[in-house]
Amino acid sequence: MIKAVRGTRDLYGETLFYKRWIEDTARRVLEAAGALEIETPILEEAPVFERGVGATSDIVQKEMYAFTDRGGRRLVLRPEGTAGVMRAFLEHGMKVWPAPVKLYYRGPMFRAERPQKGRYRQFYQVGYEAVGLSEPAVDAEAIALLIDLLRALGLKDWTIKLGTVGDPEDRARYNAYLREVLEPYKEALSEDSRARLVRNPLRILDSKDPKDREVLEKAGVRPLWDFLSDEARVHFRAVEDLLKALGIAFEEDPTLVRGLDYYARTAFEVHHHRLGAQAALGGGGRYDGLTALLGGPSLPGVGWAVGTDRLILALEAEGIPAPGAPALDLYLLPLDEAAVAEALALAEQLRPRFRVELAYQPKRPGKGIKEAEKRGARLVGFLGEGERARGTISVKRLDTGEQTELPREALFGWLEALK
Ligand code: AMP
């Protein structure tokens, strides 16, 4: 039998109820802050990510689903949302909109990672971007909105980690320092990190390889924060003060290096305490200058993305149920052939106010009640010869067993009163 591609899943039932709820909640939270939804294509030209996410990032180096199409174009199934949103921002001249331009998106992302619980090759994100202002208040608001989303879903067991990756010049100075102090340990580093030492030593700090961890320990590497410019430091303190004023608790994390090259200054992550190995629910930061990498003017921006799949795992772990589909109000049961058309017409009339299903062929009452119970109906409506003659319907409550006969015109109001 043909199965879904490794690392991809079919979403249905409970999982999809969760996903829908998360996306609806995000829409409500983000639209209240003035964000506009944007849907960009899943397919993008490879340079959107090579330039935007960064050629040395793990995503571009190892995880992109890239291919050449029939027209010889190099295309990619998007591995993340920000670069594509910024490509669209430039393409549609949104820089003339009042700043900050707030956009949000949701949809599937694709990364060729080793699948495990909470890590898939097709996964879903909800993301937010605010473009055009470099004020610390825009960073603080972005973080607050992410927290608003978590709170609106009822999640409690998470923490925010906050750091700064400085400005590009700070990182260049730090990279030069790292090259110098790590050079003597080159042979002891993992193969990946030996390559990183040349291209982007900062990434070595992110490595989970025990060999690299040992080298970092031995070399006594100083933190990036020792290399921050005054401007970057002032910005970071201002974001912290604003968050404190909002009553938002966070943990400072000097080791926070986000996986993408485009971050500048503020970086943050939300971790959930019950997610095990894949604990990051979401993250983001400031990405001033990303627009310039994509060929536009250099504009400041800040944003985040949360993983919908991991939010679902977190909600399950905290025992928070998804609001499901509305329960079945009424199951209509034609007792003879002539009543099938009546049942169909009545069902149409009562929807969409009520959830109504019907049997498509006459059934005996006992059998029909069993069918109604299987579907979780509250009520069964019988339509037989007697009801037809009197213009009525007999309705039985499945919880109490109580039965009443009422005029068909009165049914809508009667159901309404019962809701
Ligand atoms: P990133 O774009 O890497 O910062 O990821 C943001 C969030 O997306 C993460 O915190 C995860 O919740 C989610 N995410 C990233 N990669 C995956 C994946 N392979 N499978 C499921 N969720 C993911």
Side-chain angles (χ1 to χ4, degrees):
M1 204 166 28
I2 301 177
K3 294 202 173 139
V5 172
R6 188 168 136 81
T8 73
R9 291 154 308 142
D10 302 305
L11 306 181
Y12 57 92
E14 187 82 344
T15 309
L16 209 48
F17 288 139
Y18 270 121
K19 179 168 175 286
R20 218 154 65 176
W21 177 44
I22 291 165
E23 292 175 348
D24 289 348
T25 308
R27 162 171 302 153
R28 190 162 45 74
V29 166
L30 297 172
E31 285 187 347
L36 182 73
E37 184 168 12
I38 181 163
E39 266 195 45
T40 61
I42 287 165
L43 278 179
E44 293 277 1
E45 305 251 7
V48 169
F49 304 104
E50 288 165 352
R51 290 191 217 154
V53 176
T56 69
S57 64
D58 274 1
I59 289 187
V60 170
Q61 293 261 312
K62 302 185 198 159
E63 296 169 2
M64 278 203 312
Y65 281 99
F67 61 98
T68 306
D69 79 353
R70 286 160 211 259
R73 282 170 288 256
R74 283 201 312 123
L75 301 182
V76 169
L77 294 182
R78 63 178 182 197
E80 60 97 52
T82 305
V85 168
M86 296 318 293
R87 193 263 315 135
F89 177 95
L90 293 172
E91 189 167 336
H92 304 291
M94 295 183 195
K95 66 175 189 300
V96 303
W97 295 9
V101 175
K102 296 175 179 178
L103 299 167
Y104 75 95
Y105 61 85
R106 68 202 157 97
M109 308 293 160
F110 301 83
R111 293 183 198 170
E113 298 186 270
R114 202 169 46 77
Q116 61 181 86
K117 191 174 179 197
R119 193 161 76 190
Y120 314 101
R121 292 182 169 171
Q122 174 170 343
F123 60 99
Y124 297 82
Q125 285 186 339
V126 171
Y128 166 81
E129 320 287 355
V131 190
L133 287 184
S134 48
E135 268 66 19
V138 187
D139 309 37
E141 183 185 50
I143 295 170
L145 289 172
L146 172 53
I147 292 171
D148 287 344
L149 171 60
L150 302 179
R151 286 192 183 142
L153 293 170
L155 287 169
K156 293 197 172 68
D157 216 1
W158 45 266
T159 36
I160 292 267
K161 293 184 183 219
L162 184 68
T164 175
V165 297
D167 286 319
E169 309 81 63
D170 305 344
R171 286 208 298 280
R173 261 183 301 170
Y174 189 54
N175 266 336
Y177 158 79
L178 286 176
R179 271 193 201 102
E180 204 180 295
V181 292
L182 293 178
E183 185 61 35
Y185 299 91
K186 197 163 132 189
E187 298 312 316
L189 287 169
S190 70
E191 200 184 320
D192 273 354
S193 285
R194 274 201 296 275
R196 289 176 183 131
L197 194 59
V198 180
R199 282 199 307 260
N200 192 355
L202 195 57
R203 289 223 178 282
I204 299 174
L205 304 189
D206 235 2
S207 169
K208 294 191 179 66
D209 193 306
K211 281 200 220 153
D212 297 336
R213 305 288 356 146
E214 201 178 314
V215 168
L216 291 169
E217 186 90 6
K218 268 201 215 143
V221 168
R222 285 162 62 198
L224 168 65
W225 287 10
D226 285 0
F227 295 76
L228 293 183
S229 65
D230 287 345
E231 293 80 7
R233 208 179 293 276
V234 167
H235 185 93
F236 183 56
R237 292 295 168 225
V239 174
E240 287 195 323
D241 289 344
L242 287 161
L243 290 176
K244 282 179 197 153
L246 287 172
I248 292 173
F250 56 85
E251 271 174 27
E252 264 189 8
D253 186 351
T255 66
L256 202 64
V257 190
R258 303 270 308 141
L260 318 180
D261 276 357
Y262 55 59
Y263 284 105
R265 299 195 173 181
T266 315
F268 51 91
E269 275 180 7
V270 189
H271 288 248
H272 196 269
H273 305 151
R274 292 192 228 167
L275 283 192
Q278 304 301 320
L281 273 184
R286 186 160 268 290
Y287 48 79
D288 298 353
L290 171 58
T291 47
L293 295 176
L294 294 172
S298 180
L299 296 170
V302 58
W304 48 256
V306 281
T308 307
D309 314 86
R310 291 196 196 160
L311 281 175
I312 295 174
L313 293 173
L315 287 163
E316 284 172 345
E318 290 200 30
I320 303 169
L328 182 58
D329 293 310
L330 177 65
Y331 185 73
L332 289 171
L333 193 65
L335 298 174
D336 59 20
E337 201 57 55
V340 173
E342 290 174 357
L344 195 55
L346 199 55
E348 281 290 307
Q349 223 181 352
L350 296 169
R351 297 168 185 157
R353 181 73 187 96
F354 305 101
R355 184 171 152 200
V356 183
E357 292 188 44
L358 65 145
Y360 301 90
Q361 51 184 206
K363 282 193 202 308
R364 277 181 290 105
K367 183 107 192 301
I369 288 171
K370 282 213 183 74
E371 290 292 326
E373 279 169 349
K374 267 193 237 166
R375 290 167 171 75
R378 295 177 67 198
L379 304 159
V380 188
F382 301 103
L383 295 166
E385 212 182 322
E387 284 84 5
R388 181 156 50 252
R390 295 187 290 277
T392 59
I393 178 167
S394 300
V395 191
K396 188 182 181 74
R397 282 181 69 145
L398 287 180
D399 53 352
T400 60
E402 208 181 319
Q403 186 164 325
T404 31
E405 187 169 349
L406 59 149
R408 287 188 196 177
E409 320 73 85
L411 183 58
F412 197 100
W414 188 83
L415 287 173
E416 195 73 64
L418 215 63
K419 265 224 161 201

